[in-house]
Amino acid sequence: MNRIRRAISDQLPQLKNIYHALEVPLKNQQLQNARLPTLEWTVPAAVAQQEQELLDSLRSHTFDATYIEKVRLVPSAGRSAAKVEFQLQPQAFVEQLLRKRQPEALPLSPADEHVVVEYSSPNIAKPFHVGHLRSTIIGNVLANLHQHLGYRTTRLNYLGDWGTQFGLLALGVQLNNVSDKDMQRAPIETLYRSYVAANRAAEENPEIAQRARDLFTALEAGTDDAMAQQWQQYRKYTIEELSGVYNRLGVHFDSYEWESEYSQQQISDVLQKLRSAGILQRELDGREIVVVDDRRIPVIKSDGSTLYLARDIAALLERHSRLQFSRILYVVDNGQADHFNALFKTTAALNKRLSLEQLQHVKFGRIHGMSTRQGKAIFLRDVLDEARDVMREKRNQTPTTRANSSLDDEDVCDSLGVSAVLVNVLKQRRQRDHEFSWQQALQVNGDTGIKLQYTHCRLHSLLENFKDVELEDTVPDWQHYSREPVDALDLLYELARFEQCIWQSKEQLEACVLVNYLFGLCNATSRALKRLPVKLESCPLKQSQRLLLFQAAKRTLQKGMQLLGLRPLDQM
């Protein structure tokens, strides 16, 4: 479909993003168009004032007749916006959609735009728990979408490893006599236990609390080389363990960055600039604050120590200087809205090269009820293990599961379990709080990750059974599909919607747009598999045309699943 979109957008360079804004009409609209392939562009509200002038100018355009049969202009009426319908050349449409190895015209590339996405960002003093799941997988999908659309994309994981609590953590390691081998085996769990032990001891003994503060002061000042070296080692082990969970979730990063990388000197320089600009103001009690939306927000405590906002301002300014981003997305829960409002407005006031339009807090709600069946939910790893174990039980109990020595059962069950968890979370609107349900997540028939995997496996099995049918040189035939049961055209039009759903998902920063598209694709595929049998069809021409359709369905489903971070299975 890229060539067809280009044939339209190249003629209309004055219409920004029309390449992506072209949409396949809904089913009732297709019926009005005699089910002929159509792309339509709805005139956005921003240019509605020039509607007549715009429509008049379109009348003078000549579009490539290879792809466009005719253009119909529909003026606005009541609440319905004006739109332009491009009726496509049917044979060109079906060839663009179904031919596998045709040279693809690249979409209009926004490669000069650099988008930075910061997501996951756990704190090494606390468990990597289910609360981090939404940030991790939503951020990963948003980065995938931008990259797929041609944006230069940088994925950041900004890990918390600084502050007074890390003195407690370092002390806890000493109190528990943690060996390097213990730390290497399970760093996140070991650090968490150490922190809990030291925190408990500090509550009972003020001297221990003071020792923790002294340890962090030495670490911050760089006066304890052994401690600093040990800290580097803890960070290394932490990333190694986190990488195991990230790999299971289909998540990766371009850069791991740490709070501690922003030195006191860098922060002091930023504070001085804020004072010079009159943004940082001193209160009577000695605190220094910034005023944002009539709220007085502390940046420096009365004892002179800095708060989290100061470090985040320094980090944002340094990233803008180093990465030269067009836009940065922070994927962090709803509860941090005030913090990011203060961060963005204060930083933009200080650096005039940064505008608020470049800075975005991608908010999301909480997940409730995500725990193992024993009610434990400290570590995300435990939830993923539970999902894998439940899938293993379900497969063993299903009478249709066949023994297959070529399959790695553990790997398959893990992929199914992860798919179930991810899709159950991603299918929700991100700002809503979400009640997790194992029963819903693990259904095969409902809208679940298992359904996506099952449909992909069905398509793979069908194509494998007919791998001797030569499809490479088979030309898709519009006349054939137009004479087939209506399910053939339904699936064709569903496939044609893929790129517009990618764009809409990116524009709304909502993974659920893509997830719901994939559910619709699976439903259309399932109906087509039932109504357009291949094995029972005696006509070789019909067989090959149907296989072309199902091959494209598998290709599209596979790409969509990969954008969600899923690993599509061929067998389950």
Side-chain angles (χ1 to χ4, degrees):
M1 289 290 287
N2 288 341
R3 287 178 183 272
I4 294 175
R5 288 176 178 272
R6 283 296 292 266
I8 297 169
S9 58
D10 283 355
Q11 289 293 313
L12 302 169
Q14 75 275 27
L15 300 179
K16 190 181 177 187
N17 289 331
I18 188 172
Y19 176 95
H20 295 290
L22 291 164
E23 295 187 2
V24 177
L26 296 173
K27 199 167 185 176
N28 58 353
Q29 186 62 41
Q30 289 168 15
L31 292 172
Q32 291 177 30
N33 297 333
R35 294 189 66 80
L36 291 169
T38 306
L39 282 174
E40 61 182 29
W41 178 68
T42 302
V43 176
V47 294
Q49 298 294 325
Q50 294 88 40
E51 176 192 320
Q52 196 55 52
E53 182 185 332
L54 186 62
L55 296 182
D56 287 343
S57 72
L58 282 169
R59 287 189 177 91
S60 63
H61 279 285
T62 303
F63 294 93
D64 188 343
T66 311
Y67 302 115
I68 316 299
E69 278 199 347
K70 63 180 179 182
V71 180
R72 179 169 166 256
L73 310 176
V74 184
S76 58
R79 292 187 177 182
S80 300
K83 62 183 177 182
V84 183
E85 292 179 356
F86 298 90
Q87 190 172 306
L88 309 180
Q89 209 284 337
Q91 182 58 29
F93 166 76
V94 80
E95 285 186 31
Q96 285 292 304
L97 209 51
L98 301 188
R99 293 202 84 163
K100 185 181 177 183
R101 296 212 170 180
Q102 60 178 343
E104 276 290 309
L106 291 172
L108 298 176
S109 176
D112 56 332
E113 291 188 43
H114 183 192
V115 177
V116 174
V117 189
E118 184 202 288
Y119 55 107
S120 194
S121 303
N123 186 325
I124 69 168
K126 295 177 183 175
F128 186 53
H129 56 78
V130 295
H132 295 110
L133 178 64
R134 254 186 153 170
S135 172
T136 303
I137 62 178
I138 291 171
N140 187 55
V141 174
L142 297 183
N144 288 343
L145 291 171
H146 280 86
Q147 193 166 331
H148 174 82
L149 288 164
Y151 292 86
R152 191 154 60 91
T153 308
T154 299
R155 304 155 186 265
L156 292 187
N157 194 348
Y158 184 52
L159 294 99
D161 70 330
W162 215 240
T164 312
Q165 72 266 36
F166 293 102
L168 282 168
L169 191 152
L171 181 62
V173 168
Q174 294 177 9
L175 293 174
N176 284 1
N177 294 313
V178 174
S179 69
D180 191 62
K181 194 168 281 187
D182 292 335
M183 187 66 72
Q184 195 166 2
R185 188 167 51 243
I188 296 173
E189 203 166 333
T190 303
L191 287 168
Y192 176 62
R193 281 203 306 267
S194 301
Y195 175 71
V196 169
N199 205 38
R200 195 178 298 124
E203 285 174 0
E204 296 169 1
N205 187 341
E207 288 182 14
I208 287 180
Q210 186 56 48
R211 274 179 64 193
R213 283 192 289 274
D214 292 344
L215 274 171
F216 179 68
T217 301
L219 189 62
E220 190 171 33
T223 55
D224 189 331
D225 291 343
M227 167 83 74
Q229 195 171 357
Q230 199 175 38
W231 201 251
Q232 294 291 333
Q233 204 66 15
Y234 295 168
R235 289 180 4 176
K236 177 175 173 284
Y237 295 156
T238 298
I239 286 181
E240 286 171 359
E241 186 179 343
L242 283 172
S243 295
V245 178
Y246 289 141
N247 287 339
R248 291 174 76 179
L249 295 172
V251 170
H252 71 278
F253 298 93
D254 297 309
S255 178
Y256 286 90
E257 299 183 359
W258 301 86
E259 266 190 83
S260 57
E261 289 173 350
Y262 295 97
S263 67
Q264 285 300 106
Q265 184 58 53
Q266 280 177 292
I267 294 169
S268 297
D269 290 348
V270 168
L271 294 175
Q272 194 52 51
K273 286 176 184 173
L274 286 167
R275 290 188 190 103
S276 300
I279 298 169
L280 195 61
Q281 303 171 17
R282 183 175 289 277
E283 298 281 74
L284 292 174
D285 60 5
R287 293 182 307 158
E288 291 186 74
I289 59 98
V290 291
V291 178
V292 178
D293 299 335
D294 297 325
R295 291 176 58 241
R296 307 179 78 76
I297 300 167
V299 177
I300 302 176
K301 292 192 279 189
S302 52
D303 64 3
S305 57
T306 56
L307 291 166
Y308 191 68
L309 180 58
R311 193 171 293 273
D312 265 9
I313 294 169
L316 177 51
L317 289 168
E318 187 276 333
R319 287 173 183 176
H320 186 246
S321 171
R322 170 168 51 99
L323 298 171
Q324 296 294 302
F325 57 76
S326 313
R327 195 167 173 222
I328 186 167
L329 308 178
Y330 290 85
V331 187
V332 184
D333 69 85
N334 285 329
Q336 296 296 314
D338 287 342
H339 171 76
F340 281 104
N341 184 51
L343 169 64
F344 296 162
K345 288 183 175 174
T346 304
T347 311
L350 182 63
N351 185 340
K352 299 305 179 188
R353 292 183 300 115
L354 261 178
S355 69
L356 290 175
E357 288 71 35
Q358 293 174 270
L359 312 172
Q360 185 155 4
H361 174 202
V362 182
K363 309 170 195 170
F364 58 85
R366 296 188 172 185
I367 304 175
H368 303 291
M370 184 179 275
S371 62
T372 62
R373 287 171 291 183
Q374 287 75 37
K376 299 174 185 171
I378 293 180
F379 295 96
L380 177 58
R381 181 191 60 219
D382 295 333
V383 173
L384 298 181
D385 288 349
E386 176 84 358
R388 178 197 61 210
D389 296 344
V390 171
M391 286 314 306
R392 189 190 302 113
E393 288 171 20
K394 287 175 80 75
R395 286 181 83 240
N396 291 341
Q397 290 164 7
T398 302
T400 54
T401 302
R402 300 175 190 166
N404 186 338
S405 58
S406 67
L407 267 188
D408 181 340
D409 269 10
E410 196 74 358
D411 188 51
V412 168
C413 291
D414 193 56
S415 287
L416 289 172
V418 168
S419 298
V421 171
L422 259 64
V423 172
N424 191 265
V425 174
L426 290 173
K427 73 179 183 180
Q428 319 294 331
R429 285 269 165 193
R430 60 178 161 80
Q431 290 207 58
R432 291 180 187 159
D433 286 359
H434 165 49
E435 193 69 41
F436 183 82
S437 159
W438 281 110
Q439 186 179 355
Q440 287 179 5
L442 299 169
Q443 286 175 353
V444 176
N445 298 323
D447 286 341
T448 64
I450 309 301
K451 176 184 191 167
L452 301 184
Q453 292 286 12
Y454 174 70
T455 306
H456 189 269
C457 288
R458 280 186 77 186
L459 290 167
H460 178 81
S461 175
L462 172 67
L463 294 166
E464 273 294 293
N465 288 338
F466 289 90
K467 62 185 176 186
D468 294 334
V469 177
E470 186 54 61
L471 295 178
E472 188 124 342
D473 298 321
T474 302
V475 178
D477 180 12
W478 169 263
Q479 291 301 325
H480 164 80
Y481 295 113
S482 65
R483 290 192 295 265
E484 285 273 44
V486 69
D487 308 271
L489 289 186
D490 284 348
L491 182 52
L492 272 174
Y493 290 134
E494 201 62 44
L495 293 170
R497 284 194 185 90
F498 180 59
E499 287 297 335
Q500 78 189 47
C501 284
I502 298 285
W503 178 257
Q504 289 163 359
S505 198
K506 187 276 297 184
E507 283 289 279
Q508 297 174 37
L509 301 175
E510 285 282 9
C512 67
V513 173
L514 174 57
V515 174
N516 289 321
Y517 165 79
L518 293 177
F519 290 151
L521 177 61
C522 286
N523 293 338
T525 300
S526 183
R527 290 191 296 269
L529 285 167
K530 187 182 288 188
R531 296 288 305 278
L532 309 170
V534 178
K535 189 176 180 180
L536 300 176
E537 180 52 61
S538 56
C539 171
L541 176 63
K542 276 190 174 183
Q543 268 195 339
S544 61
Q545 291 292 319
R546 289 174 181 180
L547 285 169
L548 273 180
L549 183 61
F550 294 128
Q551 182 186 64
K554 183 196 172 191
R555 195 164 59 239
T556 304
L557 177 58
Q558 182 181 62
K559 185 63 193 174
M561 290 172 72
Q562 288 167 342
L563 288 170
L564 295 179
L566 307 183
R567 183 168 61 87
L569 295 171
D570 293 336
Q571 294 175 279
M572 57 182 279

